[in-house]
Amino acid sequence: MNKYDRLSYTNHSISSMGNNVPICYNNKYIKFLGVKMVTSTIIELKNVSKKYGDKIILDNVSLKLNTGELVIIKGISGAGKTTLLNILAFLETKDSGELFWKNQNIDILSSKEKKNIRRTEMGFIFQDFNLYENLTVEENLEIFLSLATEMKKNEIQRQIKEYLDKFHMEDRRKTYARLLSGGERQRVAVMRAFLINSSIVFADEPSANIDDENKRIIRDYLAELKIGGKSIIIVTHDDYYDKLADEIYVLKNGNLSEASWG
Ligand SMILES: Nc1ncnc2c1ncn2[C@@H]1O[C@H](COP(=O)(O)OP(=O)(O)OP(=O)(O)O)[C@@H](O)[C@H]1O
């Protein structure tokens, strides 16, 4: 597979959009029914370094992500992929370098502002699910949506129902989180990330514990989000998402480099 096969896969997804077929798609702008959607930078790392003790995790790493772009980060266990995601999501500090959110240097933002961006604009599919163990699946999603969005209660319930159906979790609606299997917990995390209208989705091994059918649902959803102008960063060992990627990077010895196609 090469880069162009991957783009044609994305184009294939676009072609299933009925009347909203883009007249032009080149990862720089999309034209739906005469309306140009110009891409803009959503997040950018410039020369960021990070150490834990003496161990260099990131060494002058730069990365830029525009709206509607999906990048994949690969690397062996312990390479620093999660650390990189955490820095991008303001969950971990960098030692040096700069991080920009929509062209604004995050160093000038208060922790309240950063928290607000994280809550309302960032969706997370992380291995550490942070579910409320003593609440049901439905209650977990309700709480999350009422904190992260302005949605009215009946709209929240309508959307939750739609997603529970989509992810084949309707029969787990009233199940306490502590009683869910690993794969079911992962699906709740995925629903949570997709339910809010975030600008960017961070996914750390989104297909861990997931069966083929749910993997396919997640991949199709990520493709839809991308077409809708959302940005996505996936950390994974799995090649399953490669066809969706605008770029695949490998993190090795603190350096982030483009993976060779093939
Ligand atoms: N808070 C921390 N304090 C000290 N060391 C840490 C901390 N967080 C991560 N590390 C170390 O930094 C290195 C990179 O960890 P990280 O979790 O980012 O790697 P990863 O590429 O995501 O690994 P995996 O694929 O196994 O999840 C590891 O050696 C880890 O032990």
Side-chain angles (χ1 to χ4, degrees):
M1 189 196 348
N2 63 36
K3 189 169 188 165
Y4 300 99
D5 288 336
R6 294 222 292 265
L7 290 179
S8 66
Y9 174 88
T10 316
N11 278 327
H12 173 72
S13 309
I14 291 169
S15 70
S16 64
M17 293 186 74
N19 288 336
N20 274 343
V21 176
I23 295 164
C24 171
Y25 181 74
N26 61 5
N27 282 323
K28 289 296 168 223
Y29 86 80
I30 309 168
K31 197 172 170 189
F32 289 108
L33 300 175
V35 180
K36 280 184 193 174
M37 290 169 58
V38 180
T39 59
S40 55
T41 304
I42 192 102
I43 205 160
E44 184 170 11
L45 273 184
K46 275 190 190 163
N47 304 112
V48 164
S49 295
K50 175 77 182 174
K51 270 186 186 177
Y52 285 125
D54 288 339
K55 187 171 179 190
I56 297 172
I57 309 294
L58 303 177
D59 187 8
N60 257 318
V61 167
S62 296
L63 175 69
K64 183 167 155 176
L65 193 68
N66 290 325
T67 50
E69 283 183 351
L70 184 151
V71 300
I72 294 178
I73 297 170
K74 298 190 174 181
I76 59 167
S77 178
K81 305 177 297 295
T82 304
T83 305
L84 176 61
L85 272 198
N86 285 339
I87 289 175
L88 286 164
F90 324 148
L91 290 165
E92 179 61 272
T93 54
K94 53 192 169 42
D95 296 339
S96 61
E98 293 168 307
L99 170 58
F100 296 87
W101 170 258
K102 295 186 176 172
N103 299 315
Q104 188 169 36
N105 192 324
I106 67 129
D107 289 341
I108 62 165
L109 299 177
S110 66
S111 52
K112 196 175 166 194
E113 284 170 315
K114 285 189 266 192
K115 202 170 167 185
N116 203 33
I117 292 172
R118 199 163 49 237
R119 195 167 57 88
T120 59
E121 301 222 48
M122 295 178 170
F124 296 96
I125 307 171
F126 273 21
Q127 288 160 346
D128 172 13
F129 304 109
N130 289 322
L131 297 184
Y132 296 103
E133 301 295 336
N134 291 324
L135 295 182
T136 64
V137 166
E138 184 178 41
E139 288 164 344
N140 263 283
L141 294 173
E142 269 173 9
I143 282 203
F144 180 73
L145 274 182
S146 55
L147 288 174
T149 72
E150 305 278 302
M151 268 190 238
K152 298 253 175 350
K153 198 168 177 5
N154 58 351
E155 174 61 6
I156 288 179
Q157 280 169 343
R158 194 190 62 73
Q159 291 234 5
I160 289 175
K161 181 172 182 341
E162 187 185 311
Y163 275 72
L164 287 171
D165 285 345
K166 200 167 282 180
F167 285 89
H168 310 307
M169 287 283 285
E170 179 50 42
D171 63 338
R172 289 284 175 271
R173 191 161 66 96
K174 298 281 183 206
T175 304
Y176 288 106
R178 63 174 188 275
L179 301 177
L180 297 173
S181 72
E184 289 166 342
R185 294 169 73 82
Q186 179 77 332
R187 271 181 276 162
V188 177
V190 169
M191 283 190 272
R192 224 172 37 174
F194 288 157
L195 269 161
I196 65 163
N197 188 24
S198 52
S199 305
I200 186 165
V201 172
F202 297 100
D204 196 350
E205 292 293 356
S207 42
N209 305 312
I210 292 266
D211 60 30
D212 287 349
E213 167 68 359
N214 281 297
K215 262 168 95 164
R216 190 190 54 74
I217 293 172
I218 294 170
R219 188 184 60 187
D220 290 352
Y221 235 90
L222 290 170
E224 254 182 59
L225 289 180
K226 175 173 153 59
I227 291 162
K230 309 294 183 193
S231 308
I232 299 148
I233 301 185
I234 304 177
V235 160
T236 183
H237 296 280
D238 197 336
D239 294 340
Y240 192 69
Y241 301 93
D242 286 7
K243 284 183 171 183
L244 286 182
D246 293 285
E247 206 59 75
I248 300 177
Y249 295 100
V250 177
L251 187 59
K252 192 175 174 189
N253 300 327
N255 298 303
L256 193 65
S257 51
E258 285 180 21
S260 49
W261 306 102

